[in-house]
């Protein structure tokens, strides 16, 4: 199963649209995970139309319309891998321990908010992934997103993709 992870797209405030490379990856993936800060419902509609399966949550920049359509926390089983998504996880310090305590029954936690790519493992084996942002790199050298594969409950081939600067 091919998985695409993104967050903090901020369309149309930070970009008019997603980069073409990301749209192509969305269309090639079996499941697309968006960890919040869509900003506008039109992006949710477009991603829903162009993906095989979309799972998302709302972020702190998402207004009432998006919050009515998306949960704050989402949980899914993807080929035996127990996945949770949330936009914010709090400060960097202590993140792994905090998230392991909050999500004890999960194998993978996908989060956003910081726009900083993140890949760590908490005590007990919880994997934490933040794909960064494909449209607003902030202090990062590149705009980014992640892809991965899931095979019978195992997450493999986690790859950080750097997008070219416009």
């Amino acid at each position: 199963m091919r998985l695409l992870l993104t967050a903090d797209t901020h369309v149309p405030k930070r970009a008019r649209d997603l980069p073409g490379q990301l749209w192509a990856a969305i269309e090639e993936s079996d499941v697309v995970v968006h960890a919040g800060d869509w900003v506008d419902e039109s992006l949710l509609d477009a991603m829903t139309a162009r993906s095989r399966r979309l799972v998302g949550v709302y972020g702190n920049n998402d207004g009432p319309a998006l919050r009515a359509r998306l949960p704050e926390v989402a949980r899914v089983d993807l080929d035996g891998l127990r996945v949770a998504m949330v936009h914010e996880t709090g400060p960097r310090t202590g993140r792994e321990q905090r998230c392991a305590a909050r999500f004890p029954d999960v194998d993978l936690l996908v989060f956003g908010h910081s726009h900083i790519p993140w890949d760590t493992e908490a005590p007990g084996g919880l994997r934490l992934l933040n794909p960064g942002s494909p449209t607003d790199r902030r202090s990062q050298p590149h705009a980014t997103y992640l892809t991965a594969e899931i095979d019978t409950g195992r997450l493999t081939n986690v790859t950080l993709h750097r997008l070219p600067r416009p």
Side-chain angles (χ1 to χ4, degrees):
M1 176 182 294
R2 291 171 299 183
L3 185 64
L4 180 133
L5 301 93
T6 192
D8 298 292
T9 46
H10 294 271
V11 170
K13 291 191 176 186
R14 297 289 182 202
R16 291 181 189 161
D17 197 2
L18 298 180
Q21 178 183 333
L22 180 56
W23 276 124
I26 287 168
E27 292 170 351
E28 294 168 0
S29 297
D30 297 307
V31 180
V32 175
V33 171
H34 191 299
D37 273 3
W38 308 73
V39 177
D40 192 272
E41 277 187 286
S42 62
L43 181 61
L44 173 58
D45 294 337
M47 285 183 76
T48 298
R50 293 176 73 169
S51 62
R52 290 184 182 106
R53 180 178 179 191
L54 176 65
V55 182
V57 296
Y58 67 77
N60 61 298
N61 285 295
D62 297 327
L66 283 161
R67 288 171 185 243
R69 295 177 61 184
L70 296 165
E72 179 180 11
V73 176
R75 294 171 182 264
V76 293
D77 184 291
L78 300 175
D79 195 23
L81 186 75
R82 301 168 301 169
V83 181
M85 280 151 280
V86 66
H87 184 64
E88 296 185 59
T89 59
R92 166 190 300 246
T93 304
R95 178 176 286 142
E96 288 80 5
Q97 293 77 10
R98 207 171 39 253
C99 291
R102 183 175 176 195
F103 298 97
D105 58 342
V106 170
D107 302 310
L108 170 63
L109 176 66
V110 181
F111 67 99
H113 190 61
S114 69
H115 298 218
I116 299 170
W118 188 275
D119 183 354
T120 58
E121 189 171 302
L126 171 67
R127 182 94 175 253
L128 289 90
L129 293 176
N130 182 328
S133 171
T135 58
D136 185 13
R137 63 184 181 84
R138 290 192 182 165
S139 62
Q140 299 303 299
H142 301 279
T144 57
Y145 66 94
L146 288 167
T147 58
E149 294 179 17
I150 301 172
D151 184 17
T152 49
R154 289 188 53 242
L155 184 70
T156 62
N157 298 322
V158 176
T159 305
L160 179 68
H161 298 268
R162 296 177 176 152
L163 293 159
R165 293 186 184 191

